[in-house]
Amino acid sequence: MAVTPPEAASPDATGQGVGYRVEDGVAVVELRRPAAGNALDAALRSGLLAAVRRVAGDGGGEPVRAVLLTAQGRNFCVGQDLKEHAEALECDPASAFAVVRAEYNPLVEALHALPQPVVVAVEGACVGAGLGLALCADVRVASDGARFSTAFTGIGLAADSGLSLSLAQAVGPSRAAALMLLGDRFDAGDAQLWGLVHQVVPAGQAAAEGLALARRLAAGPTAAYGEVKVLLRYAAAGAGLSAVLEREAAAQERLGATDDHRGAVRSFLAKEKPSFEGR
């Protein structure tokens, strides 16, 4: 099993921050502020962005074929650190929301731009910007104790972290409108029923199951996964059928020239299990 040593990206004064390690081709990105419910303060935001950019770069020295986003403690993420936000409002109300464009938007865009499949493991609260981050993933695993909420209108705000788009795509515009306007909490069972999460597991097992799924993806045809991600988002953006068909045809031509495809066809005909190298 190939593992790079755990590291912390941009830790805060207590040594907490964002953990990063590569295990069997999976970059495990871990929020490490459990005492605060992994509330997103400046250290966590900058650490997350650094970790995602590391994946997009060299992966820390080892090829990254899939990503797992998880968290320490009982909660995945309770959203923006409101204590930090209150201090910003007191200090300079005019610039208190500059963090949305300066930090949240680049983080969401960087997560969406990753060609690798991204799995998120949710325990406990997944609220506000935490829900926005979870919806950046391609596959979501939640424990049966997970609870979700948009939360923004409860403090007189609308939405950020791409939630206006990603939630509507996940659960449909009507349900998304109700969840965002009313701010009602919903549980893992609702999330699975509505198509927001792929799998619900017993409490305490989300990270382990998420890692198992990420390892499975890392062992698969990652070049094809990258094309799948692009196609899904292109179609979700409202492309017409003819445009989608053309994009699919071009993707199939590119993938048809890969060693992964040719080798898998040979393995299928020989009744053998294929192996994939992402090229």
Side-chain angles (χ1 to χ4, degrees), residues 75 78 124-128 131 145-151 153 178-191 194:
N75 297 302
V78 297
C126 181
V127 175
L131 178 57
R147 56 195 187 278
F148 305 84
S149 175
T150 58
T153 57
L179 291 173
M180 291 181 69
L181 292 170
L182 299 171
D184 290 342
R185 183 181 294 182
F186 55 99
D187 62 21
D190 290 330
W194 299 339

Side-chain angles (χ1 to χ4, degrees), residues 191-220:
Q192 186 175 38
L193 179 66
W194 299 339
L196 194 147
V197 302
H198 167 68
Q199 186 175 2
V200 176
V201 298
Q205 295 184 24
E209 184 59 32
L211 182 57
L213 285 174
R215 282 174 169 160
R216 176 181 167 188
L217 289 164

Side-chain angles (χ1 to χ4, degrees), residues 63-160:
V64 172
R65 294 170 58 85
V67 179
L68 173 65
L69 177 60
T70 185
Q72 285 185 347
R74 295 180 299 173
N75 297 302
F76 174 69
C77 178
V78 297
Q80 166 65 31
D81 185 322
L82 289 184
K83 181 179 179 181
E84 179 190 77
H85 179 62
E87 292 171 353
L89 284 173
E90 285 290 323
C91 179
D92 185 4
S95 62
F97 288 91
V99 66
V100 175
R101 289 190 179 91
E103 299 182 36
Y104 281 106
N105 290 1
L107 174 57
V108 170
E109 288 176 338
L111 277 166
H112 274 274
L114 289 176
Q116 297 96 334
V118 180
V119 179
V120 67
V122 177
E123 296 277 356
C126 181
V127 175
L131 178 57
L133 289 178
L135 289 174
C136 290
D138 303 297
V139 180
R140 288 171 285 277
V141 178
S143 79
D144 55 15
R147 56 195 187 278
F148 305 84
S149 175
T150 58
F152 286 101
T153 57
I155 53 172
L157 295 176
D160 56 40

